[in-house]
Amino acid sequence: MNGNGSNRLITKRAFLNAKKCPRLGWETMNGAKQPLTLEAEYEFFEGNQIGGLAKKRFQNGIEIADRDPYVAENETRRVIGANPHSVLFEPAFIHRQFVARADILVPTETGFSILEVKAAMEQNLENAQGKEYLEDIAYTIWVCRSAGITISSANLWFLSRAYRYGDCEDTMFAEIECLALAEPLIEAYEADSGRIEGFLLDTRPDPLLRAECKGCERNTECFTDFYDHTIFQIPRITSAVLQGWIDEGITRVEQIEEPTGLNANQERVRQSIITGQPFLDSNALEEELCAWRYPIAYLDFETIAPAVPILPNTKPYEQIVTQFSLHIAQNEGDSICSVRSNHHEYLADPLDLHASVIGLAEAMVNALPTEGSIMTYHQAFEEGRIRWLMNWLTDQGEEGLARQLEPLLERLVDLEIAIKAGYYHPDFRGSYSIKGVLPVMIPCLTYTGLAVNKGRLASCVFSNMVLGREKEVRQKGLQTPTREDLKKYCELDTWAMVELHRKLLSFL
């Protein structure tokens, strides 16, 4: 219900989702509300944090605080009438059944300028990644104009790539004028609005299988047999190819006609799905594994990437290493118990992050063997974090410690590459991520039941510790995992590598 009766209003999110997928738009507007998670709560916090910093640029701005869109629109109209030269925060406008709330509305000589503030690094609005932000502001412009507001300019505010910790906050944002780029979208929204309004306010539409279903969190809700549509399990296939198959009525890999046009790895996956049998190339696997040298150190990092920098010489969203886990197998024949007990870990102190990052590098150098392979899972990540540590430590006057890290780079090996080279199981369902392969290859090991069970959650948990937000989070009804929970998660990542390595060796 709302202030003007039972009329339902269509939000920006519902409208834009509906343009991608009618069922997704309908669920956004009418479906059951998703429970709040720690990850979502932290994302809301960072969005509000960035929005608050942008508002500080307008000291006398007036906030339209009411969350009821009808009440907020009435208040917006009243404030504009009484204070025509005032900047407004979160003003509301309604056009038919569509509602929009601009982040900031600034009066100009010829109307108003809309400012939309994004908790993202600056984007190229003409490529695929940047287009979503252009679509976002185009909706707001369309509703405002249609509600009788003259929009003379429109700007997207992104976090500046040049901004660094300690810089003046006035330099935090990169501003991109985008009204001209948005005009074609605004026209298209008006033309399509009747159709979208019709099905969003009607009964739940039937799901339509599309390429975008591959990454949608609701795919198994819409299609209980989603995993029977095995074309989605072919790794690194483009959306255009997927959609082409779907348009031809092809949803299973055995329906793809020869020649398939797939590369060797994709064809390997296809054949494994068709036969229902694992693929094993013991020669390729042996070539990878025999290149590794003992002692083998199994290494995993965890990081945080705060939108607002919290460490000297870092930029927005720079990944800061805050934790590592390390298991060591000294010799090829080491017992599982000896490897398990040869474990080292480090978790930064959230109250002294600067000293802790230095301490982490020192602890890692001291714990790692001076020779042998350093095993990772998806090497690019760990390699990137070691390089980051080297650069950051050098900037902090720790050149000697930075130099000790450099030799580690040439010792890195990648367990993921070994699996891709020699093994595939149809139950991987197209994913080589450690959480995709572990339950298939080592069923007794699981992340289920851990208070922290994925990297994004670990990042949010530690970030809240650094920012002192744990009490605030608990007041919202959420549990706050502990330091021990973070350690258990990171330790399982490296122990999983130990077990996966042993499993691969058993295939030879």
Side-chain angles (χ1 to χ4, degrees):
M1 296 291 289
N2 55 53
N4 282 12
S6 59
N7 290 335
R8 292 176 294 163
L9 291 174
I10 299 168
T11 64
K12 178 194 299 184
R13 183 163 170 258
F15 179 88
L16 294 177
N17 281 346
K19 286 189 67 65
K20 299 174 186 175
C21 169
R23 177 66 167 259
L24 179 59
W26 192 95
E27 293 289 357
T28 301
M29 180 170 172
N30 304 287
K33 185 177 180 181
Q34 298 296 309
L36 183 65
T37 64
L38 276 169
E39 298 101 308
E41 192 280 334
Y42 188 77
E43 186 176 339
F44 294 148
F45 160 75
E46 284 202 317
N48 290 333
Q49 182 186 33
I50 297 302
L53 290 170
K55 290 174 183 178
K56 287 174 67 175
R57 302 273 288 271
F58 305 92
Q59 293 296 327
N60 297 316
I62 299 174
E63 185 94 24
I64 308 298
D66 203 293
R67 303 320 301 165
D68 183 304
Y70 288 100
V71 175
E73 190 199 31
N74 288 336
E75 179 64 8
T76 298
R77 300 285 187 181
R78 187 195 68 77
V79 171
I80 289 176
N83 304 276
H85 302 296
S86 293
V87 173
L88 273 66
F89 302 146
E90 306 293 334
F93 299 97
I94 297 172
H95 165 54
R96 301 203 316 261
Q97 296 302 122
F98 301 95
V99 60
R101 300 194 76 151
D103 288 338
I104 303 173
L105 193 68
V106 180
T108 68
E109 292 183 359
T110 58
F112 291 91
S113 177
I114 287 179
L115 309 182
E116 289 289 293
V117 183
K118 300 303 174 188
M121 301 300 285
E122 56 192 288
Q123 303 286 325
N124 178 354
L125 301 183
E126 299 189 60
N127 65 22
Q129 188 173 358
K131 188 179 178 183
E132 67 177 271
Y133 298 100
L134 187 62
E135 292 170 339
D136 180 286
I137 196 170
Y139 173 89
T140 304
I141 299 167
W142 167 60
V143 172
C144 290
R145 274 185 180 170
S146 301
I149 302 299
T150 300
I151 303 301
S152 57
S153 67
N155 290 270
L156 281 162
W157 283 22
F158 293 105
L159 294 171
S160 171
R161 297 183 186 278
Y163 182 80
R164 295 294 184 272
Y165 172 87
D167 288 352
C168 175
E169 289 182 356
D170 287 347
T171 66
M172 179 175 287
F173 296 100
E175 305 172 19
I176 302 177
E177 215 294 322
C178 57
L179 184 57
L181 285 174
E183 292 291 0
L185 291 172
I186 295 166
E187 293 177 13
Y189 290 173
E190 178 60 35
D192 208 21
S193 61
R195 181 186 68 88
I196 292 176
E197 182 178 358
F199 68 72
L200 285 181
L201 299 177
D202 204 344
T203 57
R204 187 188 204 189
D206 291 331
L208 180 65
L209 195 67
R210 300 169 56 87
E212 292 79 9
C213 294
K214 181 173 183 177
C216 180
E217 62 184 18
R218 295 181 181 268
N219 52 29
T220 55
E221 295 177 26
C222 292
F223 304 96
T224 55
D225 61 347
F226 180 76
Y227 292 116
D228 292 337
H229 301 297
T230 50
I231 58 170
F232 292 104
Q233 297 176 29
I234 298 177
R236 303 185 70 84
I237 202 75
T238 67
S239 294
V241 171
L242 275 177
Q243 193 59 53
W245 285 335
I246 293 169
D247 292 343
E248 294 175 20
I250 296 170
T251 64
R252 299 178 61 85
V253 295
E254 57 266 35
Q255 297 173 307
I256 303 172
E257 295 182 357
E258 302 282 354
T260 62
L262 302 176
N263 64 34
N265 184 50
Q266 292 168 336
E267 183 60 31
R268 171 189 306 169
V269 170
R270 176 175 173 267
Q271 291 300 327
S272 180
I273 295 171
I274 291 172
T275 64
Q277 297 299 314
F279 165 87
L280 176 63
D281 184 338
S282 55
N283 290 331
L285 200 56
E286 184 174 20
E287 184 177 348
E288 289 288 334
L289 301 186
C290 287
W292 301 347
R293 295 288 177 261
Y294 285 87
I296 292 179
Y298 305 82
L299 176 67
D300 180 70
F301 290 130
E302 300 301 331
T303 65
I304 61 172
V308 178
I310 58 175
L311 201 61
N313 201 46
T314 59
K315 61 181 180 294
Y317 293 117
E318 187 158 330
Q319 286 188 310
I320 301 166
V321 185
T322 56
Q323 183 177 4
F324 76 75
S325 174
L326 178 67
H327 280 92
I328 299 173
Q330 291 289 350
N331 302 289
E332 186 172 355
D334 280 359
S335 69
I336 198 77
C337 292
S338 67
V339 179
R340 183 114 209 188
S341 62
N342 198 350
H343 177 246
H344 307 263
E345 63 184 359
Y346 187 98
L347 178 58
D349 179 354
L351 301 181
D352 193 0
L353 193 58
H354 185 277
S356 288
V357 174
I358 298 172
L360 179 147
E362 291 172 336
M364 181 174 65
V365 167
N366 291 333
L368 281 167
T370 56
E371 59 184 3
S373 297
I374 301 172
M375 186 184 296
T376 65
Y377 202 98
H378 194 66
Q379 177 179 328
F381 179 77
E382 268 69 31
E383 180 177 337
R385 293 314 90 213
I386 291 173
R387 291 188 185 278
W388 177 85
L389 280 168
M390 291 167 56
N391 292 332
W392 186 82
L393 288 167
T394 299
D395 290 336
Q396 303 307 304
E398 298 285 344
E399 294 91 345
L401 182 54
R403 284 194 295 272
Q404 293 182 68
L405 297 179
E406 187 171 7
L408 306 181
L409 297 172
E410 63 186 20
R411 295 165 55 193
L412 296 175
V413 297
D414 194 340
L415 182 60
E416 182 184 28
I417 288 177
I419 295 175
K420 286 182 177 180
Y423 187 72
Y424 181 82
H425 194 290
D427 288 345
F428 287 177
R429 291 176 173 169
S431 172
Y432 286 100
S433 74
I434 196 166
K435 292 178 179 63
V437 305
L438 184 65
V440 178
M441 296 181 68
I442 316 291
C444 62
L445 274 187
T446 177
Y447 290 84
T448 303
L450 293 181
V452 177
N453 57 14
K454 48 193 169 183
R456 173 59 180 160
L457 178 56
S459 178
C460 293
V461 169
F462 192 77
S463 294
N464 283 332
M465 291 179 179
V466 172
L467 298 171
R469 299 190 63 242
E470 292 177 285
K471 181 178 180 181
E472 175 187 343
V473 170
R474 286 193 293 270
Q475 288 173 342
K476 297 179 181 180
L478 294 169
Q479 297 295 316
T480 51
T482 65
R483 289 177 60 84
E484 286 305 309
D485 293 325
L486 289 169
K487 291 179 180 179
K488 287 178 183 178
Y489 169 70
C490 197
E491 180 179 359
L492 181 54
D493 275 347
T494 51
W495 185 247
M497 285 192 276
V498 174
E499 292 282 18
L500 287 169
H501 183 200
R502 293 169 68 90
K503 185 70 173 181
L504 293 179
L505 288 170
S506 73
F507 293 153
L508 302 182

